[in-house]
PDB file of all heavy atoms in Angstrom:
ATOM      1  N   MET K 996     146.124  89.779 102.742  1.00  0.00           N
ATOM      2  CA  MET K 996     146.092  90.091 101.320  1.00  0.00           C
ATOM      3  C   MET K 996     144.790  89.607 100.683  1.00  0.00           C
ATOM      4  O   MET K 996     144.170  90.325  99.918  1.00  0.00           O
ATOM      5  CB  MET K 996     147.323  89.455 100.646  1.00  0.00           C
ATOM      6  CG  MET K 996     147.403  89.727  99.186  1.00  0.00           C
ATOM      7  SD  MET K 996     147.773  91.474  98.948  1.00  0.00           S
ATOM      8  CE  MET K 996     148.071  91.502  97.249  1.00  0.00           C
ATOM      9  N   LEU K1003     138.131  94.670  97.847  1.00  0.00           N
ATOM     10  CA  LEU K1003     138.210  95.446  96.615  1.00  0.00           C
ATOM     11  C   LEU K1003     137.209  94.922  95.581  1.00  0.00           C
ATOM     12  O   LEU K1003     136.490  95.701  94.959  1.00  0.00           O
ATOM     13  CB  LEU K1003     139.636  95.401  96.046  1.00  0.00           C
ATOM     14  CG  LEU K1003     139.842  96.136  94.726  1.00  0.00           C
ATOM     15  CD1 LEU K1003     139.549  97.627  94.891  1.00  0.00           C
ATOM     16  CD2 LEU K1003     141.261  95.934  94.240  1.00  0.00           C
ATOM     17  N   MET K1022     100.383 101.733 104.437  1.00  0.00           N
ATOM     18  CA  MET K1022      98.967 101.596 104.105  1.00  0.00           C
ATOM     19  C   MET K1022      98.208 102.287 105.234  1.00  0.00           C
ATOM     20  O   MET K1022      98.250 101.844 106.380  1.00  0.00           O
ATOM     21  CB  MET K1022      98.597 100.122 103.976  1.00  0.00           C
ATOM     22  CG  MET K1022      99.352  99.430 102.840  1.00  0.00           C
ATOM     23  SD  MET K1022      98.921  97.696 102.626  1.00  0.00           S
ATOM     24  CE  MET K1022     100.086  96.919 103.757  1.00  0.00           C
ATOM     25  N   PRO K1027      98.394 112.292 103.971  1.00  0.00           N
ATOM     26  CA  PRO K1027      98.436 113.610 103.332  1.00  0.00           C
ATOM     27  C   PRO K1027      97.497 113.767 102.133  1.00  0.00           C
ATOM     28  O   PRO K1027      97.059 114.865 101.830  1.00  0.00           O
ATOM     29  CB  PRO K1027      99.896 113.759 102.891  1.00  0.00           C
ATOM     30  CG  PRO K1027     100.650 112.817 103.755  1.00  0.00           C
ATOM     31  CD  PRO K1027      99.711 111.686 104.071  1.00  0.00           C
ATOM     32  N   ALA K1040     111.622 103.731  91.355  1.00  0.00           N
ATOM     33  CA  ALA K1040     112.597 102.810  91.920  1.00  0.00           C
ATOM     34  C   ALA K1040     113.536 102.293  90.840  1.00  0.00           C
ATOM     35  O   ALA K1040     113.352 102.556  89.651  1.00  0.00           O
ATOM     36  CB  ALA K1040     111.876 101.651  92.597  1.00  0.00           C
ATOM     37  N   SER K1059      98.663  93.410  93.230  1.00  0.00           N
ATOM     38  CA  SER K1059      99.035  93.952  91.921  1.00  0.00           C
ATOM     39  C   SER K1059      97.854  93.867  90.968  1.00  0.00           C
ATOM     40  O   SER K1059      97.048  92.939  91.022  1.00  0.00           O
ATOM     41  CB  SER K1059     100.238  93.198  91.351  1.00  0.00           C
ATOM     42  OG  SER K1059      99.936  91.831  91.159  1.00  0.00           O
ATOM     43  N   VAL K1062     101.696  94.291  86.332  1.00  0.00           N
ATOM     44  CA  VAL K1062     103.128  94.239  86.659  1.00  0.00           C
ATOM     45  C   VAL K1062     103.910  94.163  85.350  1.00  0.00           C
ATOM     46  O   VAL K1062     103.364  93.774  84.320  1.00  0.00           O
ATOM     47  CB  VAL K1062     103.485  93.036  87.562  1.00  0.00           C
ATOM     48  CG1 VAL K1062     102.811  93.141  88.918  1.00  0.00           C
ATOM     49  CG2 VAL K1062     103.152  91.713  86.907  1.00  0.00           C
ATOM     50  N   TYR K1090      96.543  98.069  94.158  1.00  0.00           N
ATOM     51  CA  TYR K1090      95.441  98.628  94.934  1.00  0.00           C
ATOM     52  C   TYR K1090      95.235  97.832  96.220  1.00  0.00           C
ATOM     53  O   TYR K1090      95.781  96.737  96.376  1.00  0.00           O
ATOM     54  CB  TYR K1090      94.154  98.649  94.106  1.00  0.00           C
ATOM     55  CG  TYR K1090      93.676  97.279  93.676  1.00  0.00           C
ATOM     56  CD1 TYR K1090      92.687  96.615  94.388  1.00  0.00           C
ATOM     57  CD2 TYR K1090      94.222  96.639  92.561  1.00  0.00           C
ATOM     58  CE1 TYR K1090      92.246  95.353  94.009  1.00  0.00           C
ATOM     59  CE2 TYR K1090      93.801  95.385  92.173  1.00  0.00           C
ATOM     60  CZ  TYR K1090      92.805  94.744  92.901  1.00  0.00           C
ATOM     61  OH  TYR K1090      92.389  93.503  92.531  1.00  0.00           O
ATOM     62  N   ARG K1120      89.687 100.346  83.212  1.00  0.00           N
ATOM     63  CA  ARG K1120      88.860  99.352  83.918  1.00  0.00           C
ATOM     64  C   ARG K1120      89.045  99.477  85.430  1.00  0.00           C
ATOM     65  O   ARG K1120      88.075  99.415  86.179  1.00  0.00           O
ATOM     66  CB  ARG K1120      89.213  97.949  83.455  1.00  0.00           C
ATOM     67  CG  ARG K1120      88.312  96.904  84.075  1.00  0.00           C
ATOM     68  CD  ARG K1120      88.345  95.598  83.312  1.00  0.00           C
ATOM     69  NE  ARG K1120      87.349  94.707  83.855  1.00  0.00           N
ATOM     70  CZ  ARG K1120      87.633  93.531  84.373  1.00  0.00           C
ATOM     71  NH1 ARG K1120      88.871  93.083  84.381  1.00  0.00           N
ATOM     72  NH2 ARG K1120      86.675  92.772  84.849  1.00  0.00           N
ATOM     73  N   PRO K1129      88.441 109.149  92.009  1.00  0.00           N
ATOM     74  CA  PRO K1129      89.004 108.533  90.803  1.00  0.00           C
ATOM     75  C   PRO K1129      90.160 109.350  90.223  1.00  0.00           C
ATOM     76  O   PRO K1129      90.991 108.818  89.485  1.00  0.00           O
ATOM     77  CB  PRO K1129      87.821 108.470  89.833  1.00  0.00           C
ATOM     78  CG  PRO K1129      86.885 109.519  90.310  1.00  0.00           C
ATOM     79  CD  PRO K1129      87.061 109.581  91.802  1.00  0.00           C
ATOM     80  N   ARG K1131      92.704 110.154  91.662  1.00  0.00           N
ATOM     81  CA  ARG K1131      93.977 109.590  92.141  1.00  0.00           C
ATOM     82  C   ARG K1131      94.630 108.733  91.061  1.00  0.00           C
ATOM     83  O   ARG K1131      95.845 108.712  90.929  1.00  0.00           O
ATOM     84  CB  ARG K1131      93.762 108.767  93.407  1.00  0.00           C
ATOM     85  CG  ARG K1131      93.484 109.599  94.630  1.00  0.00           C
ATOM     86  CD  ARG K1131      93.300 108.718  95.837  1.00  0.00           C
ATOM     87  NE  ARG K1131      93.050 109.502  97.032  1.00  0.00           N
ATOM     88  CZ  ARG K1131      92.670 108.985  98.178  1.00  0.00           C
ATOM     89  NH1 ARG K1131      92.512 107.675  98.296  1.00  0.00           N
ATOM     90  NH2 ARG K1131      92.454 109.768  99.229  1.00  0.00           N
ATOM     91  N   GLN K1140     107.217 108.638  83.926  1.00  0.00           N
ATOM     92  CA  GLN K1140     108.218 109.307  83.078  1.00  0.00           C
ATOM     93  C   GLN K1140     108.795 108.307  82.088  1.00  0.00           C
ATOM     94  O   GLN K1140     109.187 107.216  82.472  1.00  0.00           O
ATOM     95  CB  GLN K1140     109.339 109.888  83.927  1.00  0.00           C
ATOM     96  CG  GLN K1140     108.895 111.036  84.782  1.00  0.00           C
ATOM     97  CD  GLN K1140     110.045 111.623  85.571  1.00  0.00           C
ATOM     98  OE1 GLN K1140     111.153 111.099  85.589  1.00  0.00           O
ATOM     99  NE2 GLN K1140     109.790 112.729  86.246  1.00  0.00           N
TER     100      GLN K1140
END
Side-chain angles (χ1 to χ4, degrees):
M996 181 69 171
L1003 178 62
M1022 297 181 272
S1059 62
V1062 296
Y1090 62 98
R1120 184 162 187 240
R1131 287 181 179 170
Q1140 292 182 353

